[in-house]
Amino acid sequence: QNSRTYGGRGSCRPITDETVCTLQIYPRLSVKPGRSCILRVPKEATAATVIKTALATLGLDTSKTYVLVEVQEYGGEEWILQASDQPVQRVLLWPRKAQDKHPQSDGYFFALQEGSYDGSIQYDVMTSVRQEKVAQGLANRGFVTQQPQEYDDLCNLPELTEDSILGTLRHRFHKQKIYTFASNILIAVNPFKFLPIYNPRYVKMYENHTLGKLEPHVFAIADAAFHTMLNKRVNQCIVISGESGSGKTQSTNFLIHCLTALSQKGYTSGVERTILGAGPVLEAFGNAKTAHNNNSSRFGKFIQVNYLESGVVRGAVVEKYLLEKCRLVSRGKTERNYHVFYYLLIGASEEEKVEFKLLHPEQYHYLKEEIPIAEDQAEMKHEFRRLHQAMEMVGFLPSTKKQIFSVLSAILYLGNVTYQPKDVGEGLKVGPDRVLYAISDLLKVKVELLVEALTTRKAMTANDTLILPYSINEAITARDSMAKSLYSALFDWIVLRINHALLNKRDLEESVPRLSIGVLDIFGFEDFKTNSFEQFCINYANEQLQYYCNQRIFTLEQEEYRAEGITWHNIDYPDNIGCISLFSKKPTGLFYLLDEESNFPRATDSTLLEKFKQQHQDNPFFVQTPVREPAFVIQHFAGKVKYQIKDFREKNTDHMRPDIVALLRSSECSYLRQLIGANPVAVFRWGILRATIRTLAVFNEAGRSWAEKHPGNIYGSLIDFSFDRSEEGPLEAFEDIFTTFENKNLTDFLFDWINFLSLLHLHTKKKPPSISAQFQASLSKLLETLRKAEPFFVRCIRSNEQCWYTGMLQTVRIRRSGYGAKFTFKEFTDQFRVLLPKEISTPQQDITNLLTKMGLPRSSFQIGRTKVFLKESERQILQEALHKEVMRRIIILQRWFRACLMRKQYLRERKGIITIQVLFVWLSRGFKKNAFSRPVVSKCFRCNDLPLLLSFTSLLGPKASGSHSNFPRVKSSATFPGPRRNPTIKISRATRVQEKWNASLDREITDSNELRHLDEFLGNQVCVDVYILLQLFERHLDFNSKVGFDTLVNPNIGYKVLMSGYQTRVSSLAGLKKASEVPLVVNLFQSVLDGFIRGELKRLEADPLGHLFSTYQVTIMQSCDQCSSFIWGMEKAFMCSSCKMVCHKKCLSKITVNCTGHCDRKVSTAETLHFGVPVCALVRTADSVPFVMEKMLVHVEMNGLYTEGIYRKSGSVCRARELHHLLEKSPQAVSFDNYPIHTITGLVKQWLRELPDPLMTYSLYNDFLYAADLPEESERLRAVYRKLDELPPPNFSTLERLIFHLVKVAKEEAHNRMSVNALAIVFAPCILRCPDSSDPLLSMKDINKTTLCVEILINEQTRRYNQKMEEIQQLENAEAMAVKQLKLRRQNTYLCCTVHKIFCLSFRNDLAFRLPEFDQDSSDAENMDSESLVSSDSLLEDHCVSLDSEGQY
């Protein structure tokens, strides 16, 4: 499909005046298109001004909303201009041709379009829908002719003819409905433009829906194949057929995109990313522009995606068929070479152009036929960036990409090699020199060897080797052969690397049951002006594919009907087995004759043509041509095709020449040597083996060096072999290594690699098979794979194509008359046993009676000898009846079970009431002691009845004096308030009042939620006086303090006003005494307020209107759901994990639509309901837990962890209803102390079960099941926690709190007898339940998976809990040890201080003894010194005492 922008017209033209420009606006309206208008506007004119002027000029209704759209049709983009955008500035970014005079057909213009109130526009498909409604209204009123009824399934047509089929397809195509069903066959009409119907929300829309329930879509086929594979445990395949240019490649991309999206359940190992990246890589190297198609696949591919039985992708395999190598060197005049060459030349950076010696496209001989126009170059630059990203997704390293681009550049340079005869002697001169040196540098080969390979060839004789020069024609053929062989080897190597990246390494280690879905995208039927060997093979493949479809749709179907003996009239269909026999029947088939002539040395294309005509002159599928015309005609299923016989033999034996192989093997680049192996797989494996042997050599060398240093410690013999570590060594050098390893008894290790030399055909003269033989072998393998799988068919047709040759009429006829649903008697009785009698004696009769009883028409089903045949519509009716019957029986069982419980409860209550009555009678008689009363009392009131009596006396209710609750009083809110934290904030006195407020203070509060968040935020700050703020709110919002913030609908208060009022209020309270402290307080409040504003803006950006956006890499072209412009492949976008909205990053701030996957958090809190309400409506902040849930869990943790069977046993139904009513009315005033613990635990489970959307959400139900079904425990754990991150924040917080509670319960298993598995069994149906629309019989099979998923969560959180407790214990032990060591150190310090004190006293006494010997004049100074010494001594004593006291403490 060609992704060109749909609809729209417009242009603009700046005039010569520098201040005024002329804009030409084209209206694009739903009612009337209107004519264009020319406006003269100044350069600084905004879009709003232009729209206003255009409306006045065109005379349109100004009350409606309009938008100005900039259309760049060749870039595939439409941009909605904002009101402040300047259209003239946008014009300056257009090409110069578009700025001067631009016709509307060139694709750069402005369009005036009706818009929604949110500023978005609608697609053309929506415009057509509106036009359809208007036309239908006119038809209903009798103004126009009634249009025929639309059918989305051709089998429902009232009259089945070729005209009615084509009319229906045409009618739907004009309504932008390109898909139509023919039973389970999808017909896709190529619209040659992009339609916005492939976003992720469409994948979600079609997920797990019966085929035909929704509008036809390619995603419906992918979903049907995926779930059929899971349900039947049978491999599936999707066969895409159609003519070249019918959209097969795009349909394949859409199918692969949907299949990988369906399989991304839980943890993904990166295989899906590799699969999606492989598509653009293969398209770049294998697709090209042809006369009929801008993106034609020049090779066939079969992508087989492997799954585990749980539906998780395990790996994939890509098979390629017949790359068209001749396109590299010659093409038609209107065709191009492979895409990758243009991407490289136009999209490469300047550094890359220098490194790879790139030139302009017109300077290459291989590209001069068709040069990209200027409009295509921007797209090719984008495609080159996309190719880079795709190669990284597949796993190509930057060095590998450089080597690939070097080979591509060398291939292009080969086309520029020219030849001239030598002036003297035989031979050719080759040049120019710069080209030869460029090729030599890119391929890392010597120039002399390159010239020799391009000008001469070697001929082997019995005794000698002859070197013969080429003629000019032979040299050109050798040059082109080298380019084609090199490109073919490169393409094969890329496919090999992709398959290696898609290989799951665990498949080599373990055998796991696997399923698969194959998607076949093979070249379409081709009939060009000149058809050659490639079209010959391509059309044969299409003949085989058509035969396979006929076999599946007609032959096998009708044979089964006849074998079962049901009433059936055969439908004739065009059989093409004769044409296939013409190609492949031994020994006179065209392929065998071609191989036979290719082996004759003197055979020519003319002798080959004569042999064709001689052998098949009487064959009706072989049409004779004039004698002298070098061509032949074959009657294909799609019509006659004339093939030119030229180069048939050469192309059939187009192998890499030995001289070229020798040249490339002499390259210094190891990567290039890998490309030219006869078997790329063997070369790739040899590289792995070489790395392994080198690793062993390194270890061996290390062992020798260690043995030399430790001669006495030898533990075993070393592996001894010699190995040349240079990459330049020949491959034959490895033979010595094999011999050495065989002598060391390591043949088992090398058994898989020993045949490498034989695979390379180095020592054999046997010729490799021809191209046609290889193609037939690979095609036979493909058909064998398809026969082992159940097929789905996608028929792609071009919008201007007749479909008579595809057998469409016969296909629809057999699908309409046939039976799409088939069951054996056992399968039918097993699946619909609920609807059948209990005892089935005769299955045929019982099944017939059932279908007749249901009122199904007798023509809609038949009973065969061993099978039941049903129409698809009747099967769906039967399935719905089964679902209703199962639900009816489930309800009956629930009623009986509840009746039994109520009966049991009634009997207990009755027994208790009788006991109480007898007790009152006994007490009223005054304890009379007689012979009659004693037996009555002993019979009616025993010790065992005391608990029952006490339980029923509690039904009378608590006394008035005991009705006061001990539960702490909490703030009346919808969330459970945690402890208030008062962080200490240090204020620097250097803070100064700013003259201007922060720019963030310009924001205004217009949402009650933001006001409530501000209230809670300021309530947790120690620096803010809430009383002052409350007065400010009263002043600016005009409401009293008794009204909560939740009652405000449209508040309007600015942060600047709030800041100014706070400063005024603080100044008035501070007065003159503390006026200097006012700036500090005000600045502190401003910093707190600024922090709240930044957090609020970040919260709104991260979670706009309930959406949960995450980065999403687009693999196929999609459309932004906000601005309606395109999102190209490999670009980054944002996708909501709930509603699957996709948009650009720049559009996140413009979203005005609430998330449809989550509830609106702006729910009015006037409601007092707490049960059966979405979690997001019960919380104020995303990280909080609903108040009722938190209160019940806290009470259970405080009072019930040691109760046996705490969550297994059920409480009193009456008490539960009573408590439920109180919690609904006023949960803050309820005291749980008056209720049994089992009543509260029962309400916990009831609260979870009554949630409209469970904690683990319906949308992620299948994802959690797939995650729990992964084979490895580590993968399961990562997958479950990855899906937990996609839960809405309120659900995540509540689930986290619940799991923590269950961990605490499981920790006391010794007392409450509640293990982790028991808790998972109880809570799995409460928090992870299946959607109500799912089949109850199938959901019963998922109980083990849901239980395992919850058990994984509890076990993992228990492990983390134990780990944290161990860490805390280690910290406590470390703290105790540190305190002990500190105490010892302080004691040692005290001893040192004591010794020092004694030394100081002795020194002081000694000084005092010597004082009389000194002069008395110095006594004053010495007295001062002694006083200071005494004071210092006293300080030392105080310090030691303090240390001693601290050490004791």
Side-chain angles (χ1 to χ4, degrees), residues 148-161 164-165 168-169 172 180-185 187 211-216 808-809 811-818 860 871-874 876-877:
Q149 183 179 355
E150 180 181 334
Y151 298 93
D152 59 4
D153 193 334
L154 298 180
C155 295
N156 298 330
L157 289 174
E159 182 182 1
L160 193 57
T161 61
S164 62
I165 292 176
T168 301
L169 294 178
R172 291 179 58 82
T180 308
F181 280 131
S183 185
N184 60 349
I185 299 175
I187 302 171
L211 198 65
K213 283 279 188 180
L214 300 177
E215 185 75 14
M808 188 70 67
L809 178 61
T811 301
V812 176
R813 185 170 295 163
I814 194 172
R815 288 300 181 187
R816 181 179 181 178
S817 305
S860 63
K871 301 283 189 181
E872 179 62 27
S873 58
E874 275 65 25
Q876 295 179 9
I877 295 174

Side-chain angles (χ1 to χ4, degrees), residues 973-974 1008-1009 1012 1044-1048 1161-1170 1176-1180:
S973 64
S1008 60
N1009 287 332
R1012 184 172 63 248
F1045 294 116
D1046 296 339
T1047 60
L1048 295 176
R1161 292 180 185 170
K1162 300 179 181 180
V1163 179
S1164 175
T1165 55
E1167 296 282 347
T1168 59
L1169 297 178
H1170 293 271
C1176 55
L1178 297 175
V1179 297
R1180 286 187 174 181

